[in-house]
């Protein structure tokens, strides 16, 4: 790709100079311009402040002239730095000629893009390129009004990267790539990565991110949603952190879908089914409307394409006023003329009122292509804490779906199960009582679920180590508690099925 510029946004470095990107990468690593190096230099408070787009603590921590301090001021804080100081650290002439740096005054240079160190899941030292002042993506109050601005890594980006299934695949698609963070992750386990975006500037920046991180180049294609993908192309993995914000109009390309309501997210999910290979995963972040007179779960079930299992998790819900305020602040509208701010706020509420929207949900949608006659669709609300990364938890969920779909009650009783690691049992009741009021099984990994069980369920789960079949365990429990073993076998499979479905038990085979 050649150089791409966008109205008043700064010109971008050339993406055709792989040699310069490699030398720049070597120089950055040589100066410990890495996630760990920054933490050591800045300290935890200043490092965390950078993630909130607050620069004052980092400016105070980089008042010296060490190489790492120079790079932080140049690429993270966007401060002009004396040419001579930069020349001691970087191949400055190459960087000027290829556009990574620009001259600022007689004897200073400045960065043309933000370069943010990012630690990969295997300890890799990567670098995420974004537009100046836009390193932190999402509702961080960046306040950029430029239509084509390309943001860096925010909470949504890292959430999607964490929940993505990371099994080796031959082909992966990053739809709406932005700064390229999902494509960068996918390049570690996909033979071929395709990255698309409506914004050509984003494709250019993705090329820079991949090159500077030492990753293979991706197949970069311009266009909206699945438009750049041929009808006969399928992928084993599709990921997208789309412009999911439900807004009146499409002012900001990086966040506003440009379709009415939640139509963009719905369209994306519905069209993904035909683009998935057998057994392939599609994983999205999305917003959805809570509409008067309609169950939000039913709305989302209607989005799932035929031939796909789905697991949809609602992580957060905001009423329409909270939602409007969040994204008005994201664009910096709260700093405008009060009358203009009020007019924009009114426009959001008018839009929601017209659509009978009372709240907006946010969460994750995972599809898996299946040949099953009856696909499984799980829609749930889980606002509680989780442990990232969750990619393996997501994969295991669908493995359990396959197992339970193929297992009737008789098969469950013949099956052998293990209690999943780091599940603990809690007994809840009044102090001194002979028996607990109820027993809770709690996960300390993954989704960190908790579920109530009766004493039989607790006893059953505690004995499951894979050696005895479920039926044999229930027979032993029946003898201990003096219950009819036939009745116990009849009523317990539903509880076993629930414990497997929620990940407390796993098949031992």
């Amino acid at each position: 790709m050649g150089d791409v510029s966008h109205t008043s946004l700064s010109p971008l470095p050339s993406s055709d100079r792989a040699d310069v990107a490699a030398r720049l990468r070597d120089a950055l690593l040589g100066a410990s311009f890495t996630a760990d190096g920054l933490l050591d230099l800045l300290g935890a408070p200043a490092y965390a402040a950078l993630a909130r787009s607050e620069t004052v603590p980092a400016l105070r921590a980089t008042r010296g002239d060490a190489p790492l301090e120079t790079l932080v001021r140049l690429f993270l804080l966007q401060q002009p730095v004396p040419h001579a100081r930069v020349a001691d650290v970087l191949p400055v002439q190459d960087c000027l000629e290829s556009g990574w740096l620009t001259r600022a005054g007689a004897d200073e240079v400045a960065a043309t893009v933000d370069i943010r160190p990012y630690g990969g899941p295997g300890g890799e030292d990567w670098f995420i390129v974004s537009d100046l002042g836009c390193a932190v993506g999402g509702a961080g109050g960046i306040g950029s009004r430029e239509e084509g601005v390309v943001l860096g890594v925010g909470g949504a980006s890292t959430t999607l990267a964490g929940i993505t299934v990371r099994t080796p695949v031959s082909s992966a698609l990053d739809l709406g790539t932005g700064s390229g963070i999902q494509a960068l992750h996918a390049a570690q386990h996909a033979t071929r990565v395709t990255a698309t975006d409506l914004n050509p500037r984003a494709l250019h920046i993705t090329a820079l991110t991949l090159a500077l991180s030492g990753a293979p180049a991706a197949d970069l294609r311009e266009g909206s949603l699945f438009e750049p993908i041929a009808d006969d192309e399928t992928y084993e993995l599709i990921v997208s952190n789309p412009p999911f914000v439900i807004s009146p109009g499409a002012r900001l390309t990086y966040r506003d879908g440009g379709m009415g309501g939640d139509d963009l997210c719905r369209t994306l999910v519905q069209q993904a089914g035909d683009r998935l290979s057998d057994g392939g995963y599609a994983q999205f972040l999305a917003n959805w409307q809570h509409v008067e007179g309609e169950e939000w779960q039913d709305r989302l079930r209607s989005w799932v394409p035929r031939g796909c299992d789905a697991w949809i998790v609602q992580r957060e819900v905001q009423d329409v006023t909270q939602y409007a305020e969040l994204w008005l602040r994201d664009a910096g509208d709260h700093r405008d003329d009060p009358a203009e701010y009020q007019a924009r706020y009114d426009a959001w509420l008018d839009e929601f009122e017209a659509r009978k929207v009372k709240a907006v949900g946010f969460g994750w949608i995972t599809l898996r292509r299946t040949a099953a006659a009856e696909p499984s669709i799980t829609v749930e609300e889980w606002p509680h804490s989780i442990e990232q990364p969750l990619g393996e938890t997501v994969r295991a969920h669908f493995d359990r779906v396959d197992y339970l779909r193929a297992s009737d009650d008789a098969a469950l009783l013949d099956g052998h199960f293990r209690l999943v690691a780091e599940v603990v049992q809690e007994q809840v009741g009044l102090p001194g009582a002979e028996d607990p009021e109820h027993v809770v099984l709690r996960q300390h990994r993954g989704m960190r679920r908790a579920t109530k069980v009766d004493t039989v369920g607790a006893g059953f789960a505690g004995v499951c180590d894979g050696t005895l079949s479920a039926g044999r365990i229930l027979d032993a429990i029946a003898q201990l508690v003096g219950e009819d073993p036939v009745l116990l076998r009849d009523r317990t499979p539903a509880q076993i099925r629930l414990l497997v479905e929620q990940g407390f038990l796993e098949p031992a085979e």
Side-chain angles (χ1 to χ4, degrees):
M1 295 179 65
D3 289 334
V4 178
S5 59
H6 219 290
T7 60
S8 61
L9 293 170
S10 64
L12 293 174
S14 169
S15 60
D16 299 327
R17 294 292 306 273
D19 57 326
V20 176
R23 285 199 290 277
L24 176 56
R25 171 178 171 78
D26 288 343
L28 296 177
L29 294 176
S32 296
F33 188 68
T34 63
D36 289 342
L38 288 186
L39 185 58
D40 288 343
L41 171 68
L42 302 178
Y47 187 64
L50 270 183
R52 302 190 299 269
S53 297
E54 295 289 352
T55 59
V56 171
L59 283 166
R60 292 173 62 84
T62 55
R63 288 176 286 198
D65 57 2
L68 182 54
E69 291 172 285
T70 297
L71 295 178
V72 170
R73 286 200 158 240
L74 190 62
F75 290 118
L76 296 190
L77 306 179
Q78 277 97 58
Q79 301 291 307
V81 178
H83 184 288
R85 278 180 60 186
V86 178
D88 289 338
V89 189
L90 300 179
V92 67
Q93 195 56 39
D94 285 342
C95 289
L96 285 166
E97 290 174 3
S98 60
W100 290 96
L101 300 176
T102 186
R103 295 192 180 276
D107 60 351
E108 290 186 318
V109 297
T112 57
V113 289
D114 187 296
I115 298 176
R116 184 88 23 155
Y118 179 85
E124 302 92 347
D125 287 314
W126 293 339
F127 299 98
I128 309 302
V129 180
S130 63
D131 274 313
L132 294 173
C134 297
V136 183
I142 292 166
S144 177
R145 307 297 179 82
E146 294 288 354
E147 180 189 348
V149 70
V150 179
L151 273 59
V153 178
S157 304
T158 54
T159 294
L160 179 60
I163 68 172
T164 300
V165 176
R166 297 295 175 196
T167 51
V169 295
S170 61
S171 58
L173 170 63
D174 175 15
L175 195 151
T177 186
S179 60
I181 177 61
Q182 310 304 331
L184 180 55
H185 276 279
Q188 309 310 302
H189 62 104
T191 306
R192 175 174 58 90
V193 176
T194 302
T196 71
D197 206 289
L198 181 64
N199 181 4
R201 188 175 180 89
L203 296 176
H204 189 108
I205 283 181
T206 290
L208 298 176
T209 289
L210 294 172
L212 198 59
S213 297
D219 176 7
L220 303 174
R221 305 185 193 180
E222 182 181 342
S224 176
L225 299 179
F226 289 102
E227 285 175 6
I229 308 303
D231 290 342
D232 60 349
E233 282 186 281
T234 60
Y235 296 85
E236 292 171 74
L237 175 66
I238 299 172
V239 293
S240 183
N241 176 18
F244 53 66
V245 176
I246 299 170
S247 62
R251 270 201 306 160
L252 301 174
T253 303
Y254 71 84
R255 70 166 209 195
D256 297 326
M259 296 186 186
D262 52 16
D263 282 355
L264 181 134
C265 291
R266 176 186 56 78
T267 302
L268 178 60
V269 173
Q270 289 180 335
Q271 292 181 353
D274 291 336
R275 307 297 183 172
L276 279 177
S277 308
D278 291 343
Y281 290 91
Q283 298 188 260
F284 314 102
L285 301 185
N287 275 176
W288 43 80
Q289 297 171 151
H290 286 224
V291 179
E292 288 180 26
E294 175 188 77
E295 295 293 332
W296 67 269
Q297 296 94 331
D298 292 340
R299 183 181 194 84
L300 288 168
R301 285 190 186 95
S302 75
W303 291 9
V304 178
R306 264 189 278 182
C308 288
D309 293 323
W311 183 21
I312 301 172
V313 182
Q314 179 167 274
R315 294 286 291 156
E316 186 179 354
V317 182
Q318 291 183 314
D319 67 48
V320 292
T321 58
Q322 291 173 311
Y323 189 81
E325 289 161 17
L326 171 72
W327 293 107
L328 286 166
R329 285 181 174 275
D330 169 73
D333 292 325
H334 60 301
R335 294 190 288 267
D336 281 345
D337 173 69
E340 187 174 343
Y341 174 79
Q342 183 174 341
R344 290 194 187 279
Y345 200 152
D346 263 332
W348 282 71
L349 297 185
D350 285 345
E351 178 88 359
F352 286 133
E353 187 175 322
R355 295 179 177 277
K356 298 184 177 179
V357 175
K358 56 186 179 179
V360 177
F362 167 80
W364 325 319
I365 298 175
T366 300
L367 307 176
R368 185 191 58 167
R369 192 78 189 169
T370 180
E374 293 187 25
S376 164
I377 301 177
T378 301
V379 184
E380 63 175 317
E381 186 162 21
W382 190 254
H384 312 293
S385 66
I386 58 165
E387 183 190 51
Q388 286 273 39
L390 273 176
E392 181 59 22
T393 299
V394 173
R395 187 199 61 76
H397 166 88
F398 289 96
D399 284 350
R400 294 194 300 272
V401 164
D402 287 340
Y403 176 82
L404 291 172
R405 188 158 44 201
S407 303
D408 59 16
D409 286 358
L412 286 181
L413 292 173
D414 286 339
H416 293 239
F417 300 96
R418 274 192 300 262
L419 189 65
V420 172
E422 297 199 42
V423 170
V424 298
Q425 175 180 306
E426 300 172 359
Q427 295 188 351
V428 181
L430 293 173
E434 186 174 338
D435 296 312
E437 291 178 22
H438 58 259
V439 178
V440 174
L441 298 181
R442 188 179 301 278
Q443 301 168 355
H444 281 264
R445 305 297 298 273
M447 293 293 287
R448 293 179 171 162
R449 296 188 188 278
T451 189
K452 288 183 184 179
V453 291
D454 59 21
T455 52
V456 170
F460 176 84
V463 176
C464 283
D465 62 3
T467 57
L468 295 176
S469 70
R472 291 275 303 278
I473 293 172
L474 289 177
D475 290 343
I477 291 175
Q479 191 171 0
L480 277 173
V481 300
E483 190 166 339
D484 185 334
V486 176
L487 293 177
L488 195 60
R489 278 174 171 257
D490 281 347
R491 70 177 174 85
T492 308
Q495 193 167 185
I496 296 173
R497 191 174 293 276
L498 181 65
L499 290 174
V500 173
E501 181 182 316
Q502 295 192 344
F504 290 92
L505 295 177
E506 61 185 6
E509 296 90 86

